Amino acid sequence: MRIFNSCAAALWVSVALCAPAFAQDSEAPAAEMPNRSVFTGDWLTIGLGAGYGPSYDGSDQYVLFPAPLAQGSVGGFDFGARGPGLYVDLIADSNSGKDVKFLAGPLLRFRMDRNNDIKDPVVRLLGEEDVAVEVGATAGMSFSRILHPFDTVTISSDIQWDVAGAHKGRIISPSISYATPLSMAIFAMFSLSATHVDSHYADTYFSIDQAGSTASGLPVFTAKGGWKSYGASLLGAVDLSGDARDGGWGIYGLINYSRLTNDEARSPVTSLRGDASQWFMAGGVSYTF
């Protein structure tokens, strides 16, 4: 379920951007600080929710799935879930108060696309794919105080390679995000992203060989690498106490739209059995301490 990767990544980014914004309260004089932000030191957010998205990349049939959330910071080093996987920022400047910050660190993901929950009976005849184990890194920069003292623009990119032999490919995912508190309790983030894949990845998930054509009745198709998709997402989070600085319970929601392009859109699994337009939605409850 590809949506699980996309959704959890967006949720991690939202909290990572939200934390420094509220941590900036620590720069004010003590007399002006009614509360010390939970984000100024070590912190952890855990959450549990549900998502709704395509049963495989390119499908027009949707499924429900669990969407857990976990991220935090220890000793200034941020970490968080990235889909079924983990990311760690090895540059400890998240709470430094700087207007320009850098992020870089290792990334591990498990990709389960076309591994199960294939709702389309024809695409199911092509067979299930193995779970991919993708190892790589994330790097980027964030810029604070763009329109007011608490907003942030982040430009970053993920790159990872499958080391388990499932698709044996490489994925690059650049993105740009704007994040801002709308009040002491409400946070929002808007992001734009794209995904570039190599020929190994494209061939695994979007090509149809002669055996697959015979089994499914779909035409033979050879997919090449390139820009696979582009998309946009909007995320909102609300602290239920009315003040995000004190942590505690909150709720979050995400809506994401992406559009498959090039051979990924032309592939029969998309053009004949699915849809190039892909919608993803998720929401849940979180607790920060």
Side-chain angles (χ1 to χ4, degrees):
M1 290 177 289
R2 186 176 68 92
I3 176 58
F4 185 83
N5 289 288
S6 302
C7 173
L11 292 175
W12 179 88
V13 172
S14 71
V15 177
L17 294 176
C18 179
F22 290 112
Q24 291 179 37
D25 290 332
S26 63
E27 300 173 23
E32 301 177 10
M33 293 175 55
N35 295 293
R36 176 179 173 83
S37 172
V38 68
F39 299 111
T40 57
D42 297 345
W43 60 273
L44 175 66
T45 295
I46 55 175
L48 182 62
Y52 184 68
S55 70
Y56 66 85
D57 201 2
S59 174
D60 62 357
Q61 296 178 299
Y62 286 64
V63 294
L64 284 169
F65 53 89
L69 171 67
Q71 57 274 308
S73 181
V74 175
F77 296 100
D78 292 336
F79 61 90
R82 284 289 186 92
L86 179 68
Y87 161 78
V88 180
D89 181 4
L90 297 181
I91 300 180
D93 61 358
S94 61
N95 295 322
S96 65
K98 298 178 182 178
D99 289 349
V100 179
K101 301 172 185 177
F102 300 89
L103 62 95
L107 170 66
L108 171 68
R109 281 188 185 171
F110 300 92
R111 186 176 301 271
M112 296 179 286
D113 195 21
R114 296 262 299 275
N115 177 256
N116 53 35
D117 281 337
I118 305 173
K119 297 301 182 183
D120 189 291
V122 174
V123 175
R124 194 183 304 131
L125 294 174
L126 296 173
E128 295 183 349
E129 301 292 345
D130 294 334
V131 175
V133 180
E134 298 168 357
V135 175
T138 290
M141 298 176 64
S142 67
F143 306 87
S144 300
R145 309 174 198 269
I146 305 301
L147 300 178
H148 58 79
F150 304 110
D151 62 351
T152 304
V153 169
T154 298
I155 301 172
S156 64
S157 183
D158 292 353
I159 182 170
Q160 64 249 32
W161 293 265
D162 172 36
V163 298
H167 61 74
K168 303 178 182 178
R170 182 267 305 144
I171 307 101
I172 300 175
S173 305
S175 66
I176 181 170
S177 302
Y178 176 73
T180 182
L182 301 179
S183 71
M184 289 308 301
I186 303 174
F187 172 80
M189 183 187 74
F190 176 74
S191 64
L192 299 173
S193 61
T195 302
H196 188 279
V197 299
D198 66 6
S199 59
H200 296 291
Y201 180 102
D203 184 61
T204 299
Y205 297 113
F206 295 95
S207 290
I208 299 176
D209 59 17
Q210 186 58 60
S213 177
T214 300
S216 66
L218 295 173
V220 172
F221 184 82
T222 301
K224 299 178 181 178
W227 288 105
K228 179 179 78 75
S229 63
Y230 57 86
S233 65
L234 178 64
L235 183 140
V238 179
D239 184 89
L240 296 181
S241 74
D243 188 342
R245 296 171 301 174
D246 62 9
W249 293 101
I251 56 176
Y252 57 87
L254 169 74
I255 183 169
N256 175 277
Y257 171 79
S258 64
R259 179 80 181 181
L260 294 174
T261 62
N262 299 318
D263 280 355
E264 286 69 31
R266 290 187 287 266
S267 170
V269 301
T270 304
S271 61
L272 298 182
R273 303 303 305 179
D275 194 333
S277 292
Q278 304 279 278
W279 290 93
F280 313 107
M281 290 160 280
V285 178
S286 64
Y287 186 81
T288 301
F289 58 95

